[in-house]
Amino acid sequence: MRPVRTAVAGVVLGVLALAGCGQTDGAATSATPTPASSDSTGQGAFPVTVQAGNGAVTIAKKPEHIVSLSPTATEILFAIGAGAQVSAVDDQSNYPPEAPKTSLSGFKPNVEAIVAAKPDLVVLANDLEGVVAGLGKVGVPVLLEPAATKLDDTYDQIRDLGAVTGNAAKADELASGVKQKIDALAAAAPKGKDLTYYHELDTTPYAATSSTFIGQVYNLFGLKNIADEAPDAAGGYPKLSAEYVAKADPDLIFLGDTKCCGQNAAALAKRPGWSGLSAVKKDRVVELDDDIASRWGPRVADLAQAVSDAVQKAAS
């Protein structure tokens, strides 16, 4: 989901990105189909049960009117071939472009508005405003897929959504493909370079530590996070001072606030004390797509590619 820039300290990127700004952390989920959940097509029969953030969820029949109130879930649904089954998505779901975007909110979900869309499955990343219980009272199946805390959560959620939509084979192929790409990029990363980095969530500036979802992606490439030593009152998302970043002088800077806040290398150079930063002088400022850097769906492989490219360039 697109980050809520004024409340980063109170929420979790997950990515999150990729820390998952605007999403709350949750336990990993995994698909555990019922005995009747597979057929000769490999797409899955029903009923099917998966373990989600709201417990064991059983879907009686293939859903045809899915409402997604999670931009990450929306991306996954379309990537696994379930796009035609999606009838409405929330106001933050901007990818893929053909997703049926509405005024529904994932941050302030309204049960009546959701029910008016006549869903036979609702997918959420957060249980806010008592929405899970509210939908349960009117008999609407709900799948809660919280912000990922590790890459395995991404793969599990892809398979979860594949199982409950009857697209199990495509979901398994996608999850395996994303994992293989990330593993290959990590294996090819230069060793022993001890490069340091700073990942910026917004211009406050809030950062993400190595313990977050997006921090774990950076860890795969042997990078050292300058935010790890900062006081952290926001569960992995410390608020840094401009002076702190300048003193740390990271080898690489990754910007997750290019679209929301217009940040780029030129903007950084205008900040007091930042024009002399190594990353600025050596053209090592990486301008990420905010959405890719704050969601935990299949495009996490694109994030890994961007990190890989930057590390290879800096190490050469």
Side-chain angles (χ1 to χ4, degrees), residues 13-303:
L13 266 177
V15 62
L16 129 122
L18 229 316
C21 271
Q23 306 283 3
T24 54
D25 266 338
T29 59
S30 60
T32 55
T34 60
S37 65
S38 60
D39 62 16
S40 60
T41 68
Q43 297 308 305
F46 291 85
V48 64
T49 299
V50 298
Q51 294 293 331
N54 54 328
V57 177
T58 298
I59 305 300
K61 61 181 181 179
K62 182 176 180 178
E64 300 294 346
H65 301 284
I66 301 170
V67 170
S68 171
L69 300 183
S70 160
T72 294
T74 298
E75 292 194 15
I76 294 173
L77 287 165
F78 276 82
I80 63 175
Q85 297 164 250
V86 179
S87 59
V89 302
D90 71 300
D91 56 0
Q92 298 298 305
S93 287
N94 56 4
Y95 186 89
E98 63 268 27
K101 190 174 180 179
T102 70
S103 60
L104 292 172
S105 173
F107 291 114
K108 295 183 178 180
N110 180 288
V111 172
E112 290 185 358
I114 297 168
V115 171
K118 299 180 179 179
D120 50 13
L121 175 64
V122 174
V123 185
L124 300 157
N126 300 289
D127 184 12
L128 303 173
E129 310 288 336
V131 63
V132 172
L135 291 171
K137 289 179 180 178
V138 293
V140 177
V142 180
L143 191 69
L144 181 64
E145 296 285 0
T149 60
K150 55 186 183 297
L151 282 167
D152 281 347
D153 293 350
T154 289
Y155 311 139
D156 286 343
Q157 290 189 17
I158 290 172
R159 292 186 170 100
D160 275 1
L161 289 169
V164 300
T165 61
N167 295 278
K170 182 62 181 294
D172 186 64
E173 178 185 353
L174 176 65
S176 296
V178 172
K179 184 178 187 303
Q180 288 170 8
K181 179 176 181 179
I182 292 175
D183 288 349
L185 289 170
K191 305 298 189 294
K193 297 298 182 179
D194 294 326
L195 295 171
T196 59
Y197 80 97
Y198 160 59
H199 176 90
E200 182 169 285
L201 301 179
D202 66 13
T203 56
T204 306
Y206 277 104
T209 67
S210 295
S211 66
T212 62
F213 177 83
I214 194 167
Q216 292 174 50
V217 174
Y218 288 116
N219 291 346
L220 295 174
F221 297 90
L223 297 176
K224 295 184 177 181
N225 193 333
I226 68 165
D228 288 348
E229 302 302 321
D232 180 13
Y237 303 96
K239 180 179 179 181
L240 306 182
S241 67
E243 292 76 18
Y244 180 98
V245 178
K247 182 178 180 180
D249 193 18
D251 296 305
L252 289 156
I253 295 177
F254 296 89
L255 299 177
D257 52 0
T258 59
K259 292 163 66 175
C260 76
C261 313
Q263 296 305 291
N264 52 38
L268 293 192
K270 294 178 181 178
R271 295 182 187 180
W274 283 39
S275 62
L277 289 180
S278 298
V280 174
K281 292 192 298 183
K282 296 180 180 180
D283 190 27
R284 293 178 179 174
V285 176
V286 183
E287 299 167 10
L288 301 172
D289 180 297
D290 297 28
D291 296 328
I292 294 175
S294 63
R295 298 174 187 173
W296 57 95
R299 290 197 293 168
V300 68
D302 296 343
L303 174 66

